[in-house]
Amino acid sequence: MNRILSLTVLTLALASCGGTAPLPSAPFIVGQVDVTGLQPDAISHTAVEGVPHIPVPVALNGQFQLPLPANPSPDGTFYGSPLCSGTVIQSNTQAQFMTLSTDRLRLWHHGTLQGFVTTRWLQGDNVQTYEYVYATLPTIVRGEQLCGNITKTFALDYQQGWNLVEWTLTGNHLTLGSVANQRLTWRRP
């Protein structure tokens, strides 16, 4: 199934292009936890196959570095659909991808799960979030497609390794764009 269509449906779609700057390989999610109440002392990925589940420390100021999978395998991610109108072009057709399938992380306090945090931001009919995508080879993905009543715009500049992608859904327009690696803020949903 087209990964983009399924994520759009499953997560009410997401993301905007905050620029198309290429992202150097990043083996870590560099984050900032911003929660009220009991402060976490550790953070981990959710139960996703092939992703390290060991909690890592969260500093007193809320900052953390959570490892991304060291040896990711392509997961069948592809861009564009022959069932949609419009064209999406991938500059290197040999490139394959692995997308972390969640934008949630688990919070821990003294070994007890305290809930989840996300990068997802909602305002009216606007949704924004981030995802990490591993590319086996450098490639550029550009184009626009109309799938049902959703217009999808692709502005992705992948380097080999881990890349950060911003998703923005505004009404019926979904934009996926590469953004420079940055410290993402993680809040409770």
Side-chain angles (χ1 to χ4, degrees), residues 52-68:
H53 300 295
I54 299 170
V56 298
V58 173
L60 292 175
N61 65 2
Q63 294 183 0
F64 65 89
Q65 287 192 0
L66 185 62
L68 290 162

Side-chain angles (χ1 to χ4, degrees), residues 12 17 34 39 51 73-74 81 91 105 121 134 137 145 161 170 177:
L12 302 175
C17 176
D34 182 12
Q39 295 300 303
V51 177
S73 298
S81 170
S91 67
L105 298 176
W121 172 81
Y134 185 85
L137 296 167
Q145 285 194 312
T170 304

Side-chain angles (χ1 to χ4, degrees), residues 24-58:
S25 296
F28 294 94
I29 294 174
V30 179
Q32 174 77 43
V33 175
D34 182 12
V35 297
T36 57
L38 189 62
Q39 295 300 303
D41 57 16
I43 194 163
S44 70
H45 292 282
T46 58
V48 176
E49 186 176 336
V51 177
H53 300 295
I54 299 170
V56 298
V58 173

Side-chain angles (χ1 to χ4, degrees), residues 118-141:
T118 182
T119 60
R120 191 176 303 157
W121 172 81
L122 304 166
Q123 183 176 5
D125 65 350
N126 299 324
V127 182
Q128 179 179 327
T129 196
Y130 296 87
E131 68 183 7
Y132 287 84
V133 177
Y134 185 85
T136 59
L137 296 167
T139 191
I140 296 170
V141 180

